[in-house]
């Protein structure tokens, strides 16, 4: 997830000169969304690593135990709080509505 989102961010922003001017704002927003997701995936991963210990269990399989540090679920919801409105604005821009209707919806 982290590498995919980070790579997508770079790809989207490098493709800006190759896209018609009408869609550059939407592609910029897409890059911002994937950048935000990359950051939050990284933070969720670090929170998971701090909250749990993975080791070999009694039967030779892996065992996950709680470390005592709380796992932070808030990163997921902050990510949604930031990215969903951006994706909705992007959708409105891509729909190519008349300016008056676009301003009304945004």
């Amino acid at each position: 997830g982290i590498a995919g989102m980070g790579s997508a961010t770079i790809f989207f922003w490098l493709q800006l000169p190759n896209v018609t001017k009408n869609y550059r704002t939407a592609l910029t927003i897409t890059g911002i969304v994937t950048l935000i997701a990359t950051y939050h995936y990284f933070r969720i991963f670090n929170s998971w690593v701090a909250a749990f210990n993975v080791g070999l269990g009694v039967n030779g399989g892996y065992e996950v135990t709680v470390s005592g540090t709380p796992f932070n679920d808030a990163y997921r919801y902050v990510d949604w709080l930031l990215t969903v409105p951006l994706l909705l604005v992007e959708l409105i821009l891509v729909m190519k509505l008349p300016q008056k209707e676009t301003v009304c919806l945004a």
Side-chain angles (χ1 to χ4, degrees):
I2 298 170
M5 287 292 178
S7 299
T9 301
I10 294 167
F11 173 78
F12 292 137
W13 286 344
L14 288 176
Q15 290 304 310
L16 280 173
N18 300 329
V19 176
T20 307
K21 285 188 176 191
N22 297 342
Y23 296 108
R24 286 186 185 161
T25 303
L27 194 60
T28 301
I29 292 172
T30 300
I32 292 169
V33 167
T34 55
L35 179 67
I36 291 169
T38 302
Y39 173 76
H40 286 114
Y41 279 21
F42 185 73
R43 298 296 298 172
I44 290 167
F45 174 77
N46 286 340
S47 180
W48 196 93
V49 168
F52 301 100
N53 297 317
V54 179
L56 289 177
V58 178
N59 297 330
Y62 290 105
E63 185 177 86
V64 179
T65 57
V66 179
S67 70
T69 303
F71 177 71
N72 191 344
D73 285 348
Y75 293 118
R76 178 184 322 153
Y77 302 110
V78 170
D79 181 77
W80 294 344
L81 182 69
L82 296 172
T83 58
V84 169
L86 286 171
L87 289 170
L88 292 173
V89 167
E90 179 182 357
L91 180 63
I92 292 167
L93 290 173
V94 171
M95 287 174 29
K96 311 264 300 178
L97 299 172
Q99 184 178 3
K100 184 178 180 182
E101 198 171 348
T102 300
V103 171
C104 179
L105 290 174

